[in-house]
Amino acid sequence: MHVTIPYVVGAALFGLGVYGVVRRRNAILVLMAVELMLNAVNLILVTADVSLRSALRGVPGEAWSMPNSQAGSGGVFALFVIVLAAAEVGVGLAIILQYYRMRKAVALDEVRLDADEERVDG
Amino acid sequence: MTVADLLLLALGAVAVGSGALVVTSTHLVRSGLYLVISLGALAGLYLVLGAELVAWVQILVYVGAVVVLLLFAVMLTRAPIGPSADLDRPAGPSALIGGGVGLGLAALFADAFRWIEYPAPPPGTAEVVGKQVFGTWVLPFEVLSILLLAALVGAIVLSRPDIGARPAPPAEPAETEEAPA
């Protein structure tokens, strides 16, 4: 198979994720764009498992390249990234919901990081 | 062009197209549903690439849990159900940055891995992945479990109802979370 196709798909998804993170105002939509970026990285990891494993076949395993000489490390990394993304979404949504409960808005460019005094006043 | 290439092209087109709809749609809920389509197409790509366990975990965790959480958050923040106009900033600089990153990475990958035929991988069974996880990568696995526990506790602590409620008697600067008065 031609691994250029999934690599380019992963690069395009990462670009779309960056675009979404920079463009969106709603915090939940920014989280969705971050999910797109993480999935692009997952796809690139799995594809690298296909392509680089076959390229490294026959290379004697040195200490730093020992995991690469076995099959499946890219998939394991992708699993780890999926778990990390789940944890990130949990904490991120907790932050967003708490912020919404305090300010009744989730627009990111209205967040004032120095608004502590104002909150005590109001 | 083999069957695997055609599958990769089709699923990649679906993933990129629905991903573009995720970041451009003006419906919040539709954006989440397009995210489901994009992640499902990515799971199909994993299947073609021989990582079966990753594909099923992707469907289970992402499509089953993460997107549902995102849609819950959309509902809980009283987002508008219809199309809303003020979801976006102006498109110019973000299109420049995102397009630059995407096209640059795509050019880099296309230059590094040229149009070379790679052998199709053997289907990665759960046995192989289990040997990897509990053999080579057992320390990151344990660290990851600690991180999940910390994230769980952190989410619970963050979502306590008395953080931002603040009936605010101003004489009492009780700012810490341990002593909410």
Side-chain angles (χ1 to χ4, degrees):
Chain A
M1 62 180 66
H2 297 285
V3 296
T4 311
I5 302 166
Y7 273 128
V8 171
V9 168
L13 275 180
F14 194 86
L16 283 174
V18 172
Y19 172 78
V21 167
V22 178
R23 174 145 190 221
R24 294 296 207 182
R25 288 179 73 232
N26 193 305
I28 301 169
L29 288 174
V30 172
L31 268 186
M32 288 184 194
V34 170
E35 296 304 314
L36 273 185
M37 290 163 71
L38 287 168
N39 275 286
V41 172
N42 272 344
L43 181 61
I44 288 173
L45 283 174
V46 172
T47 314
D49 189 38
V50 173
S51 58
L52 296 183
R53 186 205 310 164
S54 63
L56 280 176
R57 183 170 298 151
V59 174
E62 298 180 37
W64 54 271
S65 69
M66 270 302 283
N68 281 339
S69 58
Q70 306 167 11
S73 288
V76 174
F77 274 14
L79 287 177
F80 285 174
V81 173
I82 288 175
V83 175
L84 283 176
E88 170 245 337
V89 163
V91 178
L93 287 184
I95 292 172
I96 290 173
L97 290 181
Q98 191 69 27
Y99 185 82
Y100 177 75
R101 192 184 298 159
M102 288 163 61
R103 307 282 170 83
K104 301 295 172 203
V106 288
L108 279 181
D109 49 0
E110 294 167 4
V111 173
R112 289 182 50 201
L113 295 178
D114 55 347
D116 208 21
E117 300 87 5
E118 178 221 25
R119 189 180 62 195
V120 172
D121 288 342
Chain B
M1 293 294 275
T2 59
V3 182
D5 284 341
L6 290 179
L7 277 175
L8 285 179
L9 271 179
L11 288 169
V14 171
V16 172
S18 52
L21 286 172
V22 168
V23 294
T24 54
S25 169
T26 54
H27 282 67
L28 275 162
V29 182
R30 277 190 200 173
S31 188
L33 296 179
Y34 284 130
L35 189 63
V36 169
I37 298 176
S38 180
L39 299 183
L42 274 171
L45 279 172
Y46 295 154
L47 276 181
V48 178
L49 288 170
E52 293 185 8
L53 189 72
V54 182
W56 303 127
V57 168
Q58 164 100 357
I59 289 181
L60 196 70
V61 174
Y62 262 117
V63 181
V66 168
V67 176
V68 173
L69 264 182
L70 286 169
L71 290 179
F72 257 118
V74 167
M75 300 298 176
L76 282 176
T77 51
R78 298 210 185 91
I81 296 299
S84 51
D86 60 342
L87 288 177
D88 294 332
R89 288 192 198 92
S94 46
L96 195 67
I97 296 172
V101 168
L103 288 181
L105 277 178
L108 197 65
F109 280 128
D111 183 53
F113 302 91
R114 313 227 169 190
W115 198 249
I116 304 170
E117 180 89 26
Y118 281 87
T125 59
E127 187 183 350
V128 176
V129 180
K131 274 182 186 167
Q132 285 275 313
V133 170
F134 293 106
T136 311
W137 305 107
V138 64
L139 182 63
F141 181 77
E142 298 295 334
V143 173
L144 203 59
S145 61
I146 294 175
L147 181 128
L148 266 184
L149 181 67
L152 182 68
V153 174
I156 291 173
V157 168
L158 270 174
S159 56
R160 291 192 322 176
D162 56 346
I163 286 183
R166 200 171 295 273
E172 201 175 50
E175 192 61 36
T176 62
E177 292 178 3
E178 288 85 13

